[in-house]
């Protein structure tokens, strides 16, 4: 999952980015409204954390322009404490949720998890596909109840596929949603990660759909007869 963090306070921006990276997200960051507007219009984010008070263009205007242009990614706004009008304007502009400053990082993380999974059509933080279970809250993966150790890249890949199970996800889509802007993106690395993930899971849930991408679906039983 790839997120955009928009916050002009450098310390707060850094804290958000580091907490979110630790939670397994790929992160792009912006420090003013113009930069945020551009990135949100041009990059496919799974969710955005958007401060309301920003230089060059305020967060509410940025959000309005995204929505006017048909950008539907979930947006969590950061509002100043006691500014109820920020919240009302934010929701009217198309925000999905808000957190008031000062906030607890755990609350931001929990709200983002909920936004990301709802956007993908899931109601709980436990995702399953056949024998594979992924706990988005704890960042844990199990196969037939036994925990599996994954690297952060492998986890990110599996989490994206689990959120979008039952449909074909292209390599391009994976590259766009697993890596931040500055990452050296090479879609061949996706194949390498898929190969490693398959070996670690040891069950046949990731199918290659030739020419299209990957499909996560429960194993259909023994094949090769
Ligand atoms: Ca601000």
């Amino acid at each position: 999952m790839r997120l955009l963090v928009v916050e002009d306070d450098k310390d707060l921006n850094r804290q958000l980015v580091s907490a979110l990276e630790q939670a397994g997200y790929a992160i792009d960051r912006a420090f003013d409204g113009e930069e945020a507007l551009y990135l949100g219009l041009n990059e496919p984010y799974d969710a955005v954390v958007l401060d309301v008070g920003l230089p060059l263009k305020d967060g509410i205007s940025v959000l309005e322009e995204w929505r006017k242009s048909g950008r539907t990614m979930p947006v969590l706004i950061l509002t100043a404490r006691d500014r109820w009008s920020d919240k009302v304007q934010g929701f009217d502009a198309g925000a999905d949720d808000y957190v008031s400053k000062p906030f607890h990082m755990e609350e931001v993380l929990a709200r983002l998890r909920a936004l990301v999974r709802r956007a993908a059509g899931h109601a709980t933080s436990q995702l399953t596909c056949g024998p594979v279970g992924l706990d988005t809250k704890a960042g844990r993966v199990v196969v037939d109840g036994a925990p599996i150790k994954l690297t952060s890249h492998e986890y990110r890949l599996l989490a994206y596929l689990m959120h979008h199970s039952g449909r074909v996800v292209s390599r391009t889509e994976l590259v766009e949603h697993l890596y931040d802007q500055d990452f050296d993106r090479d879609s061949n690395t996706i194949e390498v990660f898929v190969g490693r993930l398959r070996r670690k899971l040891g069950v046949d849930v990731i199918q290659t759909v030739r020419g299209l991408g990957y499909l996560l679906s429960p194993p259909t039983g023994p094949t090769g007869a």
Side-chain angles (χ1 to χ4, degrees), residues 7-8 51 53 101:
E7 168 60 63
D8 59 312
D51 184 29
K101 293 176 182 178

Side-chain angles (χ1 to χ4, degrees), residues 1-2 24-27 44 46 152-161 171-180 183 185 190 193-194:
M1 301 289 162
R2 184 177 167 204
Y25 298 102
I27 310 289
D46 296 294
S152 60
H153 276 90
E154 291 159 358
Y155 176 82
R156 226 183 258 176
L157 170 62
L158 181 64
Y160 193 84
L161 291 172
R171 274 193 201 100
T172 310
E173 180 176 343
L174 285 172
V175 169
E176 285 179 342
H177 288 268
L178 300 186
Y179 303 123
D180 60 60
F183 196 87
R185 293 151 171 224
I190 294 287
F193 282 125
V194 167

Side-chain angles (χ1 to χ4, degrees), residues 6-9 12 31 51-55 78 101:
V6 187
E7 168 60 63
D8 59 312
D9 180 317
L12 191 52
F31 297 89
D51 184 29
V52 168
L54 292 170
L78 301 178
K101 293 176 182 178

Side-chain angles (χ1 to χ4, degrees), residues 63-111:
L63 181 53
E64 275 171 352
E65 290 194 41
W66 284 341
R67 296 310 192 213
K68 235 179 269 164
S69 304
R71 306 301 280 174
T72 58
M73 67 285 194
V75 174
L76 174 77
I77 55 171
L78 301 178
T79 65
R81 193 153 59 116
D82 301 333
R83 284 289 299 270
W84 64 269
S85 57
D86 279 0
K87 294 163 200 161
V88 172
Q89 284 179 347
F91 281 119
D92 284 342
D96 298 277
D97 202 354
Y98 74 90
V99 170
S100 293
K101 293 176 182 178
F103 50 78
H104 289 282
M105 200 57 82
E106 280 305 318
E107 185 179 354
V108 172
L109 291 172
R111 289 183 182 275

Side-chain angles (χ1 to χ4, degrees), residues 128-203:
T128 55
C129 178
V132 181
L134 185 137
D135 180 341
T136 60
K137 182 164 170 261
R140 270 199 295 266
V141 176
V142 294
V143 176
D144 286 323
I148 301 287
K149 240 184 142 48
L150 299 179
T151 64
S152 60
H153 276 90
E154 291 159 358
Y155 176 82
R156 226 183 258 176
L157 170 62
L158 181 64
Y160 193 84
L161 291 172
M162 294 284 282
H163 276 85
H164 299 280
S165 64
R167 78 168 170 85
V168 177
V169 176
S170 71
R171 274 193 201 100
T172 310
E173 180 176 343
L174 285 172
V175 169
E176 285 179 342
H177 288 268
L178 300 186
Y179 303 123
D180 60 60
Q181 252 193 327
D182 303 328
F183 196 87
D184 178 21
R185 293 151 171 224
D186 174 357
S187 66
N188 289 326
T189 57
I190 294 287
E191 279 175 71
V192 175
F193 282 125
V194 167
R196 282 187 206 156
L197 189 53
R198 276 185 179 133
R199 279 194 295 280
K200 284 196 181 173
L201 294 176
V203 288

